[in-house]
Each structure stands twice: as structure tokens, then as C-alpha cells.
Amino acid sequence: MTTVETLRIVTLAERPDLETAMLEMEATWPEFIRPDPLVIAWALRRHAAHQLVVLAGAEVVARAATVPFCWDGDPASLPDTGWDEALRLSMLDTHDGRTPNTLCALEVAVVPGQRSRHLSGRTLAAVADNARRHGFRDVVVPVRPSGKHLEPHVPMTEYAARTRDDGLPSDPWLRVHVREGGQILGVCPVSMTIAGSLAQWRGWTGLPFDTSGPVTVPGALNPVEASVADDRAVYVEPNVWVRHRLVP
């Protein structure tokens, strides 16, 4: 357990009773991003020591979901399919009994009303501390840049390369990572793929989805590709691989 001012950071291994509160915590993920709940439940329970919950009193104010996997340390070998593949690799490595050396942060989220407390950086630092205690050499993150949804037609490579006059990334969430010692390695262009019927997309977004072609959806980092003929729409989200090296 770590104490930061009036906050407490615990793992689900220490407080399994917090699983429901962690999952139901208010966050800013768009409605259409729906990871498989069975897979998420597996990750939380199988790797409870790597799931962090930040408490202010009895209230959950931030969370970090992470999974271990094996990585050779070569940035070029990090998968283009980012988020989805990291979770799959964790499941495979766990099932096959391989000893993981890397922790992948699938999510670091803060309750919207708590952002003035700089919890994102604190929670990210806690992820690194927890990984270091368990002997991992790296934390890697398929980062979802917080401002990219405002420019869905801009290529992620161009967006992620933008910097301010001080050299830090223009994007706020990428900037937090760099300030915490993270190194931007490159884009994972197919980090998360979400497909659904047009009716499902209408329910998730409130948009008509009545024509074929790209659809700009609030909260999406790229346009969603819709096909009326196939009654299908597919969203492919790019993320940015960031590495936090824990050992020299």
C-alpha cells in the first residue's frame, strides 16, 4: 500500500472487494469501446496484483489495469495491434507458464471530477512502482492520446509527433507520460478494433448510420467505416506505444 497525501493506492490482490467499484468507476471511455467483459474479468482476477485502485477515503477516484507479458525489448517487435494483442499475449504467456518481464498498462483512468488533483501522473507513477516491485524491466502503454478525438482526420503519426516550444508533446496525456520518464516509440495503428451492426452503432452513438463510408463519431480517434449493404460498421483505433524503462 502506498500513501500519497490523502490518497491510498492498493491492488486488487490486497482489496479484492474493490473489483466492482473499480469496474464501475466513472471514466471517459466512449460508449462504443467495449472490451470483452469475460476477458477483462480474467485479467483482473488472474493478475490482481497488477490492478491498482486509488482511493480518497472510501471513494475510488482512479484505476490502472495492467497485464504482464513477455517482450524482447525491441521496440520494433511491439505489435501494431497494440491493446488487443497485448491482452492476447498476456493470456498466452500466462497459459503457457512463461515468466513475463514486461507490464502493459491497458488503462490508466481518473474520475473526471478528480483531474485537478493530478491523479493521472500519480497513478502512472504508481504503476511503475508496482511493476518495479514485481521485478519487471519495462512498462509499455498503448496510449490513447486525450486530444486526438478532436482531430479524427489527422494521421496519428502526425498528431503524436507534435511538440510544444518546450519540446514536450502537444497532447496532454502523452505529455504526462513523457514527464514521468516515458519514451514515445511509435504508433500502433490497429490497437483496438470494434465492429458492430448499424443498429448497435446507432445505440452507442445516437448517430443515424444510414449511409456507407466514413462516419465522424464523437470520442473516436479515427472515422468509423460504415457499410449499409453489409449492415456493419468497423472502428479501428490507433494508439501510441510508450515505454517506461524500469532498469538501466
Side-chain angles (χ1 to χ4, degrees), residues 2-244:
T2 303
T3 302
V4 182
E5 296 179 358
T6 60
L7 304 176
R8 288 185 301 135
I9 301 174
V10 298
T11 70
L12 281 187
E14 296 168 319
R15 291 286 308 275
D17 58 299
L18 291 175
E19 180 180 322
T20 298
M22 178 184 180
L23 288 171
E24 294 180 353
M25 185 197 91
E26 182 184 1
T28 56
W29 286 88
E31 179 69 16
F32 56 84
I33 294 185
R34 294 172 166 263
D36 188 323
L38 293 178
V39 174
I40 298 302
W42 170 86
L44 264 59
R45 292 167 190 167
R46 180 61 181 81
H47 296 294
H50 306 311
Q51 317 310 319
L52 302 185
V53 183
V54 183
L55 298 166
E59 180 186 4
V60 175
V61 294
R63 67 188 179 199
T66 67
V67 292
F69 73 113
C70 298
W71 178 46
D72 62 9
D74 181 0
S77 70
L78 285 172
D80 286 345
T81 45
W83 200 100
D84 286 342
E85 184 66 4
L87 187 51
R88 189 186 76 86
L89 288 173
S90 179
M91 296 183 76
L92 286 174
D93 291 339
T94 300
H95 179 269
D96 292 344
R98 287 185 284 270
T99 301
N101 58 13
T102 302
L103 200 65
C104 181
L106 299 175
E107 180 192 29
V108 176
V110 176
V111 171
Q114 297 287 336
R115 288 177 183 164
S116 62
R117 303 176 76 170
H118 307 294
L119 286 178
S120 56
R122 292 179 177 182
T123 306
L124 187 58
V127 168
D129 289 342
N130 190 57
R132 199 175 285 110
R133 282 194 295 272
H134 284 86
F136 293 108
R137 69 184 188 191
D138 291 287
V139 172
V140 294
V141 191
V143 175
R144 188 175 202 269
S146 58
K148 178 63 173 69
H149 69 100
L150 301 174
E151 302 182 66
H153 297 283
V154 173
M156 181 64 89
T157 50
E158 175 184 333
Y159 179 87
R162 293 177 184 169
T163 57
R164 307 189 310 182
D165 290 342
D166 60 5
L168 290 171
S170 296
D171 181 81
W173 188 211
L174 285 175
R175 193 160 59 246
V176 170
H177 278 273
V178 172
R179 281 175 169 159
E180 290 296 329
Q183 176 190 10
I184 295 175
L185 299 180
V187 170
C188 40
V190 195
S191 187
M192 186 182 295
T193 301
I194 298 168
S197 68
L198 298 184
Q200 285 178 304
W201 280 97
R202 292 181 190 115
W204 294 335
T205 67
L207 299 176
F209 274 91
D210 55 1
T211 59
S212 295
V215 180
T216 300
V217 171
L221 309 192
N222 273 348
V224 177
E225 290 292 332
S227 171
V228 173
D230 296 327
D231 187 30
R232 200 77 171 160
V234 179
Y235 172 62
V236 178
E237 175 164 300
N239 289 161
V240 179
W241 276 120
V242 174
R243 175 187 201 170
H244 294 262

